[in-house]
Amino acid sequence: MSRLNDSELPFSLLQFYNTAEYPCSYLSGERAISQVATPTHLITTEVYGELVRSGFRRSGVFSYRPDCVECRACVPVRLPIARFAPRRNQRRCLKAHATLHARELPLMFFDEHYRLYLRYQAARHLGGGMDQDNHEQYSRFLLQSRIDSRLIEFTENGELRMVSIIDVLNDGLSSVYTFYEPDIEGASFGTYNILWQIAQCAANALPYLYLGYWIRDSQKMAYKAGFRPIEGLIDGHWREFEPSDPSVGNR
């Protein structure tokens, strides 16, 4: 038997369990089940990278992936950086938001960020539950991490516009969550943020940007299909696909 190296050993010690059914966060009226990886203290940056390549995401210190019995709507997706070329509207977005300034801050609570988060949730996800998050729930969701996570703040002329949490993996960046000022007419902060993360991958020779799940019937996830080429974890293998392909992302 070959000897496991240090990065493989913790992964081999992980255990997985399924949650009870709960209301699906993405598809109205549906029920969901998640598979959760434990124990959390063994999930290092290297181990988490293996989990992401297997379709997992994280919320705070918890790593999970959908494991619904009769639904396969959630497709883990990533962008192959070397083959990405921005479309015309994406080039316009870069130009329109050229005055945004990004800086990395410690992964800690900032009251200004939290207030922006609440404004964003109230405008974009009212009634989804997260618009009522107190600062402890916000911190557990975005600021607790056992891996290499970064908090990036975007300002424009000294005014806060956007906050993004990203994880740094050995083969790419994983986009955790982004929230932004919702009331600026004509802004495309979300698109700009993905383009910025793509540029960071390219600058650091990281081959992939992991974008979480694409769900055909979820309008909230539709923007991900606008970045091409896009790869999905389909039948256990990463491959390029067309979002218009009806065989991908069926319930």
Side-chain angles (χ1 to χ4, degrees), residues 84 138 150 168 208 211:
F84 174 78
Y138 164 83
R150 313 289 176 89
V168 182
Y208 299 109
L211 292 178

Side-chain angles (χ1 to χ4, degrees), residues 5 7-12 14 16 43-57 65 169-171 210 233 238:
N5 62 40
S7 64
E8 291 173 331
L9 183 57
F11 190 86
S12 72
L14 292 182
F16 301 88
I43 301 178
T44 62
T45 296
E46 292 76 15
V47 170
Y48 183 65
E50 292 294 327
L51 288 171
V52 169
R53 288 184 285 277
S54 298
F56 280 78
R57 301 290 290 167
R65 66 180 173 187
L169 311 177
N170 61 9
D171 70 337
Y210 292 88
L233 184 60
W238 288 97

Side-chain angles (χ1 to χ4, degrees), residues 78-85 227-231 240-242:
R78 68 185 185 185
L79 303 178
I81 300 305
R83 296 191 291 128
F84 174 78
F227 295 86
R228 306 288 184 85
I230 190 168
E231 295 180 354
E240 186 177 335
F241 74 99
E242 285 293 328

Side-chain angles (χ1 to χ4, degrees), residues 155-187:
T155 56
E156 185 175 39
N157 300 321
E159 297 291 329
L160 179 64
R161 294 290 186 246
M162 180 164 54
V163 174
S164 187
I165 308 295
I166 57 177
D167 293 335
V168 182
L169 311 177
N170 61 9
D171 70 337
L173 298 179
S174 177
S175 186
V176 178
Y177 201 77
T178 296
F179 54 95
Y180 47 82
E181 186 60 61
D183 297 325
I184 297 180
E185 186 175 353

Side-chain angles (χ1 to χ4, degrees), residues 37-249:
T38 61
T40 58
H41 71 270
L42 290 182
I43 301 178
T44 62
T45 296
E46 292 76 15
V47 170
Y48 183 65
E50 292 294 327
L51 288 171
V52 169
R53 288 184 285 277
S54 298
F56 280 78
R57 301 290 290 167
R58 73 172 182 87
S59 176
V61 299
F62 297 100
S63 300
Y64 69 93
R65 66 180 173 187
D67 196 24
C68 304
V69 176
E70 296 182 351
C71 178
R72 291 294 179 265
C74 294
V75 181
V77 292
R78 68 185 185 185
L79 303 178
I81 300 305
R83 296 191 291 128
F84 174 78
R87 297 180 172 190
R88 181 180 301 177
N89 66 316
Q90 292 165 347
R91 294 195 297 270
R92 287 199 301 265
C93 175
L94 286 170
K95 184 177 180 180
H97 293 301
T99 56
L100 284 173
H101 172 70
R103 65 168 179 163
E104 183 180 340
L105 296 176
L107 192 67
M108 59 183 291
F109 183 87
F110 294 92
D111 187 64
E112 187 180 17
H113 293 179
Y114 173 59
R115 286 186 276 113
L116 175 61
Y117 173 84
L118 292 180
R119 290 199 304 276
Y120 170 81
Q121 294 295 341
R124 300 302 176 96
H125 304 292
L126 184 64
M130 294 168 68
D131 55 312
Q132 300 296 320
D133 280 359
N134 60 37
H135 67 88
E136 291 181 357
Q137 292 168 311
Y138 164 83
S139 297
R140 284 198 300 269
F141 172 39
L142 294 178
L143 305 179
Q144 290 186 3
S145 174
R146 298 180 184 273
I147 62 175
D148 187 359
S149 301
R150 313 289 176 89
L151 187 157
I152 311 298
E153 177 191 81
F154 295 82
T155 56
E156 185 175 39
N157 300 321
E159 297 291 329
L160 179 64
R161 294 290 186 246
M162 180 164 54
V163 174
S164 187
I165 308 295
I166 57 177
D167 293 335
V168 182
L169 311 177
N170 61 9
D171 70 337
L173 298 179
S174 177
S175 186
V176 178
Y177 201 77
T178 296
F179 54 95
Y180 47 82
E181 186 60 61
D183 297 325
I184 297 180
E185 186 175 353
S188 300
F189 292 128
T191 297
Y192 176 85
N193 186 266
I194 292 179
L195 294 169
W196 183 87
Q197 292 185 40
I198 290 171
Q200 295 303 302
C201 287
N204 291 280
L206 296 171
Y208 299 109
L209 174 61
Y210 292 88
L211 292 178
Y213 303 116
W214 171 76
I215 301 171
R216 177 185 305 281
D217 295 331
S218 172
Q219 188 60 36
K220 296 177 184 178
M221 301 294 184
Y223 70 93
K224 299 179 184 182
F227 295 86
R228 306 288 184 85
I230 190 168
E231 295 180 354
L233 184 60
I234 301 165
D235 297 327
H237 301 281
W238 288 97
R239 66 172 177 85
E240 186 177 335
F241 74 99
E242 285 293 328
S244 59
D245 183 350
S247 68
V248 179

